[in-house]
Each structure stands twice: as C-alpha cells, then as structure tokens.
Amino acid sequence: ARQMYIQGHRQYEHHLQHYGHPSQQGYKDIIPLWHAEKWDPDRLMALYKRAGARYFVSMGVHHDNFDLWNSKHNPWNAVKMGPKRDVVGQWQKAAHKQGLRFGVSEHLGASFTWFQTSHGSDKEGPLAGVPYDGADPRYESLYHFPAEPGDTGWYSTNPRWHRMWFERIRDLVDSYHPDLLYTDGGVPFGNAYGLAMIAHLYNSDAARRGGKTEVIYNCKEQSEGRWVEDLERGVMVGINPYPWQTDTSLGDWFYNADWQYRDAEWVIRMLLDIVSKNGNLLLNVVQRPDGSLDPEVERTLERMAEWISANGEGVYGTRPWIIHGEGPVRAKGGHFAEDYAFTAADIRFTWKRGVLYAFALGKPADGKITVRALSTEAGQGRVRNVTILGCIARPVWRQDAEGLTVTLPDAPVSGIAVGLKVTGTRLREFTPPAPVTAVARPDAIGAYHLRVEDAELHGAGIRTERRGGKDNVGFWDSAAEWPEWRLEMTQRGTYEVRLAVATPHEGVRVTVELAGQPREVIIQSTGSWDQYAEVVAGRFVIGSTGTVALSVRPKDHATWKAINLADVRVSKVD
C-alpha cells in the first residue's frame, strides 16, 4: 500500500503494469479485489494447534489503515468491503473452539506518516506532478488527512491523529476483549493515549475477571515487566528475567511469490533458542490472497506438528535453566538477526519440575551428543537417567569431567533437534562456564575490523540489529549504556579509529576510548537511521603489545541522542 506510491519502486512498477497509474487506480481500487474466498479459519486453526500453537494473534489493522473488524470509526473495513467478513471475529471464534488464547495485532499508530506517500505524485515522466489518489479529499478516511511539514517520524506528532488512534483501538479492544494486544512499535503517543490504552486494556480485563488481570500487552519497547517486549525477527542474547516474544514469519510479512519459505528445521531451532531464553515465538503463517496456504507451508506445519507431538513436553510450561545453552553459534541478539547456522553441537536447555531438557539443534553425524555444562567438574549435580523424547530405545550415556555424553541408539531420532530428558540430583547446582570474550586480531595489513556481534554490550536496552543493510548496535536510548570490544595489539604505533554511524540527530557527543585514551567525538545527523556516514574518532598511540579495550560511550546524559553504530575500524597509520 505504501510502496505502490513510490515511483521507481518495484511495487509501484507492478501496480502500474497490472492496475494502472496510482493517480487514478490506487489502493482503494485494490481492496474490492480481495475476496478471501478459500479462507477456512476453523480448518486452519486446527492445523495451527496441531503444529504447536498455544495462542493465536489475528491482524487487526496494518499500516494500510484497513480495519479487519466491524469498525465503528472506519468505513474502510473487511465487513463492509473486500471479503465482507469479520476477519477478527471469525479468527477469534476459531481460536476459542480450539481452546487457544486469542490476540490482535495493531499497526495503526505508524499508519498516518507511513501512508503519506499516497498524497504525493510522480517526480518525473508524463504524469509528473499529477497528485496520486490519496490526495483526493473524498478518500481521506482511507489515506488520512495531509501531514504537517516535518511530521515524518514513525509516530506522528499530530494530536488529532493520536485521538483517532485511541478511538479505533479502544473499539477493537472493547469489541473483542482479546487476551493479547500487540503494537508494532513502542508505546504510542505518550501518557494521554498510549499508556491510557494499556491501562484501559488491563482494567477492563480485570473488571471482567473479578479483579484478576490476565491480558497481555506486547510491543517493541522494554518495560521491566509492565508489558511483554517483542523483538521483530530476532532473539535475545541470553536469558531475560522478563517474558518476551519474537515475531517472525515463514516467509515475507505478506504473500510474496518470490520469497523462499522457511522450513520446519529453521522454525523448531528458532523456537528452542527462544524458549531457552524465557521467550515465546509468534510465527506468521503466510496466506494466499484467497485465504488458503501454499503446499510448502502446509508441509512445514505438518512437520512441525510431528516434532511437537514427540518433544512438546520439553517446550511447554518450561522455564530457563541456569544458562540458556552452549555451543559454537553465538546469537547476536536484537531485531532483524535470526539466521544462525545451528548444528548438533549447539545445545539449548529448558527446565520443568526438577527435569532438565537438553536439545541438540541437529542430529550428530557420529551419533554422540556431549553436554559440557553437565561436567562433574562444574558442580555437585549428578545425572541419574537420560531418555530421548519421542524415542522408546534407551541411549547409552556417561557423565564425567568432559560433560554428559549420550550415544544415540540405532532407533530413529529427529533430524531437526534431538531432545534429551535428564533427571538426577542437584541439577541446578552447576557453575555456568565463563562466557568467551571475542578478541579481534589484525588482518594482513595490520588493521582491525570490529564486528558488531563481537561487542560486549553494557546495559539492558542496547541491542544489535540490522538497518540499512548493515549490522549495527542500536536501540541505544540510554546514556548509561555502551558497547566495548577487545583487540589483540601485535604492533606498537599510532592507530586511527573510524566509526560508521547513522542518526537523524544533530550534535551527538560520544567518547571513544582505546587503551585508556579517551577522545571526544561530535556526530552530526546522517539524515536517517538507515543512512550511514564515516566519522573519524581520532588517533591513539599504542605503546605496548597485548589486549586492549575500545569503547564508545555517550559523553553525558544531557547531550546524548540515540545513534546506530555499525562498522568500527582501527588502522595503523604510523
């Protein structure tokens, strides 16, 4: 809906070729073409439950400003147009029939600024300057009223829009009483609207339950337990003390015929990594426009169902163990970082009522799984019995100074992830192995390229993510947080440090410190969070060889404004 109004974008070109120019044939003309004629929510919900779902979240409204319920405030809704069905209501009935909790997802907060492209026009060509149909006041209820100059952030600053958002989402909450409400972004619009909506959600739920609140609010902002934090297409680095959630997809976020679907192996391994860290997985199942599923999606869900039926006891109702896992693959943590080459050497742990579950994220070629965290040298715990989930045959195992080594039987075991059920005594009395600190070493010309995933991140909010085609340190909202790297200096001399940064803010002051030598650096706006510029942080004299630290810290609370920090390069200049 947005990008079909951006001249030159592939979705603009697709719309132009198939439907016409957006000055005449716009998004308003696409909506009547959507019928969802093969959508069977009862059949799909049964399939989702079999595949492992314990709660289901329906789209309520996305950034296109089209409500999928019988909206009191928006005539552009699925009951009056398109499929002419109450999508939210029918999903809810299907979920409740299967005994699942039901949630709704709202992306409306960002819609106002996101959809302003519909008010533009071509920049070149025969129709340059001719307004798109979004500029027509007759369709303002779909495309929004025009934004004020400079109102371009994720969330609009316009109080009129804030009130409209509140009314629409309150209608959604009051009409369906969802068990979960998800917002795509942080809490919108401050105390008067965003926090007031959360209070209304919680209080109305308590009123219906005799004072007990069970409803969940879920958004992409930390809260220390006031709501559930969501990471889009990403994971936590380790165990989080508060429940959290990943939202990701089997494919693109919408039906994209060019996208290669994820397989069951990828989904299950992601699930285990997430659950081991106190998280939940919210998985988008991509539907065709007619409401059906592609055959590849159906097969993936059936394979998930097969694995879950054998291994679900090590997933549901569990809590983290003393560590989330072990193995060579180190998840970076943060949004948009989810493609990890897990192997059988990567182990993830869960815990339930005195039982430890250890999942190898693959099937070992030699038939042996070694859990090093259960070494007899690491604590007082002693293993008394080991079984394999979903397998009748008993494995051979031993616990010694190397760890718990399990030899798999000849009977079939899962090639996706092998679940070990471990019982014994004092199984929580182990000393977790010290984390391995990455140390950067020079390349062939004596320079250092410091990777984002190797940074030690100090603080609860700062995370790695991917923006503008680069891995970066982001979500850096607090001046009390900072990244730090270790470098093995093999040569004395003078080194220059350069940073690749992106920020819409002017005059951000940071202190770059290498080997105990601080340099103050002023960072100017690069124009956006996705547009990076190189900043020279200064020169530093290294008088001796050995391991040194490099940190990038906010100068102080008064001058700190968030940045995205990507490449950090240290080059010898003398």
Side-chain angles (χ1 to χ4, degrees), residues 37-160:
E37 62 274 15
K38 294 182 180 179
W39 176 44
D40 184 349
D42 286 331
R43 189 191 83 83
L44 292 174
M45 197 66 65
L47 175 58
Y48 300 156
K49 182 177 181 179
R50 195 163 65 251
R54 293 297 180 268
Y55 63 113
F56 177 88
V57 178
S58 167
M59 177 61 63
V61 52
H62 209 267
H63 303 316
D64 62 353
N65 197 36
F66 186 78
D67 292 346
L68 298 183
W69 76 95
N70 193 15
S71 176
K72 295 182 176 67
H73 301 283
N74 184 16
W76 297 89
N77 68 69
V79 176
K80 293 183 173 65
M81 301 177 182
K84 296 186 177 178
R85 297 171 69 177
D86 183 352
V87 174
V88 173
Q90 290 187 32
W91 274 132
Q92 185 179 48
K93 288 179 182 177
H96 287 168
K97 188 181 296 185
Q98 293 294 332
L100 302 184
R101 294 283 192 159
F102 176 76
V104 289
S105 174
E106 73 87 7
H107 306 242
L108 182 62
S111 175
F112 182 76
T113 51
W114 186 90
F115 214 1
Q116 290 293 318
T117 56
S118 64
H119 292 247
S121 63
D122 285 359
K123 300 292 189 296
E124 57 187 22
L127 294 177
V130 176
Y132 298 144
D133 68 335
D136 189 331
R138 291 179 297 171
Y139 307 117
E140 186 177 285
S141 55
L142 175 63
Y143 299 115
H144 305 299
F145 55 90
E148 296 293 329
D151 190 7
T152 58
W154 183 252
Y155 287 144
S156 169
T157 59
N158 193 312
R160 179 184 169 194

Side-chain angles (χ1 to χ4, degrees), residues 187-201:
V187 176
F189 313 135
N191 292 353
Y193 297 101
L195 291 180
M197 176 55 64
I198 299 173
H200 176 69
L201 177 73

